[in-house]
Amino acid sequence: MKDIENTNAITLLQYIEEKGIIRIDEVLKDFENMKDKEILKEHKYEIYYSETEKSWRTYLPDDSKPNKRKPLKRRDRENLEKEIVRFYKEKQKEDNRADITLDRLYQEWLIYRRDYTSVKPKTIQEDMSEWNRFFKESSLATMKVKEIRPITLIRFFREVTRNRTHTHKRISNARSVLNGIMSYAIEEEIITHNPVSDVNFKQFTYKPIEEQSDNVFSHEDTQKLLRYLQTIHEPYSLAIQLSFYLFIRVGETKGLQWEDIDYENRFIYLHRQVTCSRTLNDDLTLSKREVTVVKQMKGNTSKGFRKQYLTDEALSILVKAKELNPHGTYIFEPNGALMTTDSFNRRLKKYCKEAGVPYYSSHKIRFYNASSAYDGKNLTTISRLMGHSKVETTLHYLRNVNKDDNIMLAYENLGLSKEGVQGCSK
């Protein structure tokens, strides 16, 4: 038999209801009636009947009135008492709202974003990660939202950045989470001004950004990796190879179908992607990863929908993929299922190690492709092929794939003679 003393109240009530002893809805109704009686008992103003007005009367507290009270009257006592109870319950809600802490509002904000905005589950998951990293265990989390001032945030971020352990981008992510919570607080009429907007984040010290120009597959290592992969005929190997011949995202690679190929004109059309995300549950836990195929490209702009030219190498890879998966809907279906980004990158890492080249993630293949194709004049073309809505985004992808530092060529382009350049290099 269960130890009833160690059973929580909800479980106990459910057990009793299942046995037909009570009905939970009746218990809850009785409990509400009991609370209502307690409210009426605490009501400090007299409830009386006015013969002249033929109505029941009392007062309710109101700090805006000269006597700090306002009159209330109803035809019958029952309705008057209902209004008294409603007033104090609403006041309690307002008081609780005014005293809400940042941590509690953050939890509300997550559910609000899930239910009432178009934000993606992945973004919510990233925001949760930033909250846990910067705010969860801090004194800021337990502060009342209405008491948080700009100086509070300045002191908080000054301490967080004091040892230069975080980059400017990382702190910007934390700032975005805090800004979102405060904007929600304004919408909920908890505060009237967002204190984050009054903080100058340029005043803090940040971790220096590591040099990124060489953080990409080199031309030499890419050729070495591709030669190795040509000896391996399996879906991941072929998907990795094809990624080096197209301006494609890994989610788009996973979503490629045979019907997307135009063999006659040597094009493949990109108009879907495979996403993998975890949705937020009501208790703020995350669901299991869900793989979804969507006809919505990253960035959610029309620029994402595009076509790619198929080189001889790309066509050869597709022929091999067809031999492996002649009846599948998708081009790459290892074990009859869609790839995930994690499995793609794990296999890429494995093959890089076996080929003896440095490993970079699937996203860095796009960096290599953009950098290799860029000739100094075709930025707009590269941007369109990459599916970027702004060429400024494409500039971020341009890296040193040849791993050299040609100082002499740079000076030659300034108009100096070769002899002068050689003298400078000595």
Side-chain angles (χ1 to χ4, degrees), residues 114-127:
R114 182 197 68 182
D115 294 343
Y116 299 105
T117 72
S118 59
V119 65
K120 296 180 180 178
K122 182 181 178 182
T123 303
I124 292 179
Q125 188 176 343
E126 290 170 350
D127 289 341

Side-chain angles (χ1 to χ4, degrees), residues 242 246 248 252-253 255-272 306-311 313-323 325-326 328-332:
L242 187 65
L246 301 175
I248 194 170
E252 296 165 349
T253 301
L256 290 175
Q257 295 185 5
W258 293 113
E259 66 180 27
D260 300 330
I261 303 174
D262 180 350
Y263 288 103
E264 182 178 352
N265 295 302
R266 298 181 64 140
F267 281 113
I268 189 165
Y269 294 88
L270 308 181
H271 52 91
R272 82 177 66 77
R306 60 204 190 280
K307 63 182 180 180
Q308 307 269 284
Y309 179 74
L310 296 173
T311 62
E313 294 86 354
L315 284 170
S316 175
I317 293 166
L318 291 172
V319 168
K320 295 174 183 176
K322 190 69 173 178
E323 292 173 354
N325 188 29
T329 300
Y330 295 89
I331 295 176
F332 304 111

Side-chain angles (χ1 to χ4, degrees), residues 87-339:
F87 171 81
Y88 284 111
K89 284 184 175 180
E90 288 297 320
K91 188 175 185 303
Q92 185 61 54
K93 285 182 181 179
E94 291 177 6
D95 291 343
N96 292 342
R97 204 69 176 146
D99 291 337
I100 194 168
T101 62
L102 185 66
D103 176 66
R104 180 57 193 157
L105 191 65
Y106 154 74
Q107 296 176 43
E108 282 190 21
W109 175 66
L110 290 179
I111 299 297
Y112 164 79
R113 297 188 81 200
R114 182 197 68 182
D115 294 343
Y116 299 105
T117 72
S118 59
V119 65
K120 296 180 180 178
K122 182 181 178 182
T123 303
I124 292 179
Q125 188 176 343
E126 290 170 350
D127 289 341
M128 293 175 71
S129 177
E130 297 300 335
W131 171 269
N132 292 336
R133 178 181 288 107
F134 289 101
F135 306 112
K136 184 177 181 180
E137 303 298 331
S138 72
S139 58
L140 193 65
T142 57
M143 284 188 66
K144 295 178 181 178
V145 173
K146 67 178 183 180
E147 294 179 355
I148 297 176
R149 303 286 184 265
I151 188 60
T152 313
L153 301 180
I154 290 172
R155 289 169 179 165
F156 172 81
F157 282 106
R158 187 173 290 155
E159 179 63 25
V160 168
T161 61
R162 182 166 57 89
N163 296 322
R164 294 178 180 268
T165 54
H166 302 289
T167 63
H168 185 276
K169 178 175 176 55
R170 177 63 67 192
I171 296 299
S172 293
N173 291 342
R175 174 189 181 182
S176 295
V177 170
L178 195 58
N179 188 66
I181 298 171
M182 290 299 181
S183 296
Y184 175 67
I186 291 176
E187 185 174 332
E188 288 293 296
E189 299 183 336
I190 297 169
I191 58 177
T192 58
H193 179 72
N194 185 346
V196 180
S197 62
D198 292 333
V199 179
N200 179 9
F201 281 79
K202 293 181 179 179
Q203 66 183 287
F204 306 122
T205 54
Y206 302 104
K207 179 181 180 181
I209 300 175
E210 295 180 5
E211 176 59 47
Q212 296 291 313
S213 63
D214 294 331
N215 188 18
V216 67
F217 287 98
S218 70
H219 181 74
E220 180 181 352
D221 287 338
T222 298
Q223 297 308 309
K224 188 175 180 180
L225 175 61
L226 288 175
R227 283 196 297 271
Y228 177 74
L229 291 176
Q230 287 171 2
T231 66
I232 302 173
H233 298 280
E234 61 87 24
Y236 285 103
S237 171
L238 296 174
I240 293 169
Q241 291 178 63
L242 187 65
S243 297
F244 277 100
Y245 292 105
L246 301 175
F247 299 87
I248 194 170
R249 300 179 176 93
V250 65
E252 296 165 349
T253 301
K254 295 181 294 182
L256 290 175
Q257 295 185 5
W258 293 113
E259 66 180 27
D260 300 330
I261 303 174
D262 180 350
Y263 288 103
E264 182 178 352
N265 295 302
R266 298 181 64 140
F267 281 113
I268 189 165
Y269 294 88
L270 308 181
H271 52 91
R272 82 177 66 77
Q273 63 173 329
V274 175
T275 63
C276 186
S277 61
R278 302 169 67 188
T279 57
L280 184 70
N281 298 319
D282 289 341
D283 62 359
L284 301 186
T285 60
L286 294 169
S287 68
K288 293 182 179 180
R289 294 185 182 276
E290 299 175 3
V291 177
T292 308
V293 181
V294 295
K295 285 196 172 184
Q296 177 183 347
M297 310 305 272
K298 188 173 181 180
N300 199 28
T301 68
S302 59
K303 298 289 185 181
F305 298 90
R306 60 204 190 280
K307 63 182 180 180
Q308 307 269 284
Y309 179 74
L310 296 173
T311 62
D312 290 342
E313 294 86 354
L315 284 170
S316 175
I317 293 166
L318 291 172
V319 168
K320 295 174 183 176
K322 190 69 173 178
E323 292 173 354
L324 289 179
N325 188 29
H327 305 298
T329 300
Y330 295 89
I331 295 176
F332 304 111
E333 294 179 308
N335 302 316
L338 289 171
M339 292 180 175

